[in-house]
Amino acid sequence: YHATNKERGNEIQHSRLFPVTKGDHHWLGDGSYFFLEAFHAYKWMLDMYKYRFGHIIKYDELQENYKIIETTIEIPDQRIFNLMLAEHKIIFDETYKSILSVNPKVLYRAPEGKVINYLFQSLGLNNDYDCVLGLFGFNYKNYEGTKSRIAFMPQLQLCIKDDKLLQQHFNDFDYTNQIEMYNYLLSKYYFEKVKK
């Protein structure tokens, strides 16, 4: 699932080409980004709306200006650089430490994108992998004081590195009948920290 403004989304669907996001500040480096869960695409769409129009959401205006694109991407497991696998995470960690030892300041902000771009562009992982799958955790602070070992809210992102995988059909995802449920999830996703 990919959330975008409507004009850009229509262009993607018409051309059947997906734009590549470039820059070390992106979470999984250069590529085309997708959420594996529609709910996270919806949240991203709301964030874009709020940035442009303010915090009071007018849902007719949201639907008029933004959309969620849905597609199926078939990638063999061996072509996915999967940061949830120990082998791949260790490659990432060792590269991170190596870059840090040479220039600590370069990884000060948003180090993930810098490390992944280095792995793909300088160390040749682009020959072995077509995408990166990353699990990000959110809301750690909301779980302070708990002994839970899963004290975060998970979000899976897929960054496609090989744009040939994206020359296919992209469909509008109808989130309108999910808005009530998504808003309920958002109210829990950002639950208030309990005061002691």
Side-chain angles (χ1 to χ4, degrees):
Y1 301 92
H2 180 86
T4 186
N5 69 59
K6 203 161 232 180
E7 185 179 324
R8 185 171 179 242
N10 291 339
E11 194 177 300
I12 289 167
Q13 289 171 301
H14 177 72
S15 67
R16 293 178 56 200
L17 295 172
F18 217 94
V20 172
T21 304
K22 291 193 177 271
D24 287 345
H25 61 285
H26 295 292
W27 295 19
L28 297 172
D30 296 349
S32 300
Y33 280 79
F34 295 87
F35 294 103
L36 271 66
E37 188 177 350
F39 164 70
H40 292 294
Y42 176 77
K43 185 200 174 299
W44 180 251
M45 185 175 63
L46 286 183
D47 290 346
M48 288 187 288
Y49 175 91
K50 289 175 185 177
Y51 180 77
R52 182 173 173 199
F53 294 106
H55 286 281
I56 297 171
I57 299 164
K58 298 176 184 167
Y59 288 97
D60 55 337
E61 195 172 62
L62 177 74
Q63 292 170 39
E64 190 177 307
N65 290 282
Y66 295 94
K67 66 167 39 184
I68 296 174
I69 296 174
E70 176 183 34
T71 190
T72 300
I73 305 166
E74 294 184 21
I75 307 166
D77 288 346
Q78 66 270 21
R79 299 293 299 173
I80 301 171
F81 189 70
N82 185 344
L83 291 168
M84 293 185 296
L85 297 178
E87 177 186 356
H88 295 173
K89 184 63 167 67
I90 289 167
I91 291 169
F92 176 92
D93 289 349
E94 288 178 345
T95 305
Y96 177 91
K97 288 176 191 173
S98 177
I99 294 170
L100 201 60
S101 70
V102 174
N103 186 354
K105 289 184 181 178
V106 76
L107 297 179
Y108 177 68
R109 285 182 56 105
E112 298 85 6
K114 291 178 180 83
V115 173
I116 290 170
N117 279 344
Y118 181 77
L119 284 166
F120 275 74
Q121 296 164 8
S122 300
L123 298 184
L125 259 63
N126 59 318
N127 297 318
D128 300 321
Y129 301 101
D130 299 319
C131 69
V132 178
L133 178 64
L135 172 69
F136 293 92
F138 293 92
N139 293 358
Y140 290 98
K141 289 181 182 176
N142 289 338
Y143 293 90
E144 285 178 0
T146 180
K147 295 187 188 278
S148 172
R149 289 172 284 197
I150 52 171
F152 63 92
M153 195 58 78
Q155 181 189 95
L156 282 169
Q157 290 186 28
L158 186 66
C159 178
I160 304 295
K161 304 292 185 179
D162 183 356
D163 60 357
K164 291 184 204 85
L165 294 171
L166 296 172
Q167 295 174 351
Q168 53 193 300
H169 294 287
F170 302 102
N171 305 309
D172 283 352
F173 175 71
D174 183 11
Y175 62 89
T176 57
N177 58 352
Q178 305 285 343
I179 288 175
E180 188 176 331
M181 190 219 7
Y182 288 162
N183 287 340
Y184 170 77
L185 292 175
L186 282 171
S187 74
K188 299 299 178 185
Y189 193 86
Y190 290 99
F191 57 84
E192 293 290 323
K193 186 175 174 183
V194 177
K195 294 183 181 179
K196 297 178 183 180

